[in-house]
């Protein structure tokens, strides 16, 4: 994994070297531990704050090099605004923001976790640590001449000084599992398609076995036997064989219906015979972000020993233009028996998912299915990159996803489904066609998926705008954002454990 921090909790003490990070409220008000640390500096911080017009507002920071009276090389004061307004997610952002203020040359940093009200609670200190961990991620394995900035994360040791070390460590353990899951998802999305092709993707998913996840890989022969012809049709133009990977985490009651997470894993999407234009086609190495999220999520659930039964299922293919590639006009019979006319070979993600959704529904009778896919450009036209599109046949599941997304900052916006849209994918020659035209393109894609889920509660997240190349935040500087891991982990933790 790339760019990991060495992170630990320790009791309050003023460090003798490295970078010292303190938090203050509006009005440059400090907590007791920070005041103790600053005692030898006299009125240094107040004078610097006045000179820099620093008031402790949220998102602002004051940076002092070689502060007189202290042994540390640098003192960073981070404003939090009004401490009593801070929610859990704000502490995650603060941790990320603090990481961002630590210069590339530093090898050590200490964050003093207190505010005017007193020590930051262990749970919240753990959120700080989570934010720092997420921010520290860097994908640099192909940089042979590593920049200083990238080297930092690998070497930097961050200490978070807290009132209760054991309690903070306990609170951080499950968050560390989730941070690792996010890093796994980001790695997979960032990895180029010449390295990460379906077999290699399946091999990497296989490493979840170490955590007690049961991993089953379906090859071409098995999928042919099952009749997964929609998925196989997408991959038939590639030199790389398609795979479906089923991951099972059994942490819940024996026999209890599992939660199912399904991911689109198009390792590279050229568009196929309906080939894409050249501009930004390189981004299509990220067309497997849904599958990456599912692998990251399964890691998180297993690593924190979630008390739940969960299935992760990913369809992994490469969509190439080739003499063997499928054509517009081709008709495929899906595993469900329904037929699909291929109008545009670039609308391939829904073909992959149609078979995986049906397979999961039939074999595991899940409590619900949630699929994630970089499915349509249309969702980016509709929502930009701030929200993922949410489609669901179940109001309760949809409401939970919206609520959890708002809480943790991976937001989803519910979009409509309905018979009027469904009719747009009726085909002249088959049961349905794989595009409904330009109008409502993200919706008609979701309508196709819905035809493969029967009555099972189901939600579809179109993450084309949020999974890659999304705006940089306090907790993400990576092209592949790992979107969905934290959202779904929290959904499980809050409602299903
Ligand atoms: Mn496509
Ligand atoms: Zn695609």
């Amino acid at each position: 994994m790339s760019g990991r921090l060495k992170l630990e909790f320790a009791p309050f003490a003023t460090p003798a070297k490295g970078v010292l990070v303190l938090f203050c409220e509006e009005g440059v008000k400090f907590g007791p531990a920070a005041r103790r640390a600053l005692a030898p500096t006299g009125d240094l911080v107040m004078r610097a704050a006045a000179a820099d017009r620093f008031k402790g507002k949220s998102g602002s920071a004051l940076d002092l090099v070689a502060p007189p009276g202290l042994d540390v090389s640098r003192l960073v004061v981070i404003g939090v605004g009004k401490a009593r307004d801070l929610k859990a997610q704000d502490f995650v952002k603060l941790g990320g923001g603090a990481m961002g203020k630590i210069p590339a040359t530093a090898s050590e940093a200490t964050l003093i976790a207190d505010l005017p009200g007193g020590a930051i609670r262990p749970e919240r200190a753990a959120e700080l640590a989570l934010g720092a961990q997420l921010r520290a991620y860097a994908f640099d394995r192909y940089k042979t001449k590593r920049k200083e900035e990238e080297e930092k994360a690998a070497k930097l040791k961050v200490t978070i000084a807290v009132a209760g070390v054991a309690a903070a460590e306990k609170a951080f353990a499950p968050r560390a599992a989730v941070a690792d899951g996010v890093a796994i998802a980001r790695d997979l999305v960032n990895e180029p398609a010449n390295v990460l092709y379906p077999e290699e993707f399946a091999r990497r998913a296989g490493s979840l076995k170490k955590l007690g996840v049961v991993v089953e890989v379906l090859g071409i022969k098995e999928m042919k036997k099952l009749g997964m012809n929609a998925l196989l049709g997408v991959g038939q133009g590639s030199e790389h064989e398609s795979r479906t990977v089923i991951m099972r985490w059994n942490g819940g009651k024996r026999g209890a219906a599992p939660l199912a997470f399904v991911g689109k894993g198009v390792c590279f999407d050229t568009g196929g015979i309906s080939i894409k234009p050249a501009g930004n086609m390189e981004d299509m190495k990220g067309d497997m972000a849904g599958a990456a999220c599912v692998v990251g999520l399964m890691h998180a659930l297993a690593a924190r020993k979630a008390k739940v039964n969960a299935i992760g299922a990913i369809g992994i293919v490469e969509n190439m233009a080739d003499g063997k590639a499928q054509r517009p006009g081709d008709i495929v019979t899906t595993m469900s028996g329904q037929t699909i006319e291929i109008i545009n070979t670039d609308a391939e993600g829904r073909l992959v998912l149609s078979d995986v959704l049906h397979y999961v529904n039939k074999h595991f009778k899940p409590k619900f299915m949630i699929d994630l896919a970089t499915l349509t450009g249309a969702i980016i036209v509709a929502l930009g990159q701030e929200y993922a599109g949410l489609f669901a046949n179940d109001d309760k599941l949809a409401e939970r996803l919206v609520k959890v997304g708002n809480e943790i900052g991976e937001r989803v916006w519910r979009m409509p489904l309905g018979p009027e849209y469904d009719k747009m994918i009726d085909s002249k020659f088959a049961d349905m066609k794989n595009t409904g035209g330009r109008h409502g393109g993200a919706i008609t894609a979701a309508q196709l998926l819905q035809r493969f889920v029967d009555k099972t509660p189901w939600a579809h997240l179109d993450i084309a705008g949020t999974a890659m190349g999304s705006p940089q935040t306090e907790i993400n500087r990576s092209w592949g954002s790992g979107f969905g891991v934290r959202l779904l982990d929290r959904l499980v933790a809050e409602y299903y454990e």
Side-chain angles (χ1 to χ4, degrees), residues 264 269 271 276 284 287 319 345-349 375:
K264 166 185 172 182
D269 183 12
K276 290 174 182 292
M284 286 300 104
D287 207 21
N319 187 21
T345 62
D346 195 11
E348 85 299 340
L375 206 62

Side-chain angles (χ1 to χ4, degrees), residues 270-276 319-323 325-328 345-346:
T270 62
I273 297 301
S274 316
I275 199 161
K276 290 174 182 292
N319 187 21
M320 297 296 271
D322 178 80
Q326 88 180 342
R327 293 151 290 250
T345 62
D346 195 11

